Amino acid sequence: MDFDANLAVARAAISAGARRAGLVSAMGASAKSGIFYSRTKGELEDALVALAFEGLVIARPSMLAGDRGSLGQPVRPEKAMR
């Protein structure tokens, strides 16, 4: 996740004539969050809202789950039960 790179892409899209955009953000994103990741995601959302897009969709998915191995993603170890 990179605030500057994502914002630069959005600005370039507007310069190229884009009128609509979409962002996959994160559950709990808020510029006021005490958690760095959530705060940065929220700040990016706010920065995109301030741009001149006619339409902006921000998706905040919950925790992504599924068969990670079949997607070529590292398999996450299950938490130990105590």
Side-chain angles (χ1 to χ4, degrees):
M1 177 247 351
D2 186 306
F3 176 90
D4 294 324
N6 284 296
L7 184 56
V9 168
R11 287 180 173 154
I14 289 175
S15 293
R19 298 179 309 163
R20 292 179 286 281
L23 172 71
V24 178
S25 188
M27 182 173 60
S30 170
K32 296 178 182 179
S33 177
I35 300 168
F36 175 77
Y37 181 83
S38 297
R39 183 174 60 248
T40 304
K41 287 286 194 176
E43 290 170 351
L44 178 59
E45 289 180 9
D46 292 348
L48 294 185
V49 167
L51 296 179
F53 287 112
E54 290 177 16
L56 176 64
V57 175
I58 298 174
R60 289 184 178 171
S62 61
M63 184 171 145
L64 301 176
D67 184 3
R68 296 176 59 84
S70 69
L71 299 173
Q73 299 288 320
V75 177
R76 294 183 179 151
E78 292 186 33
K79 293 184 179 184
M81 299 295 288
R82 293 184 184 181

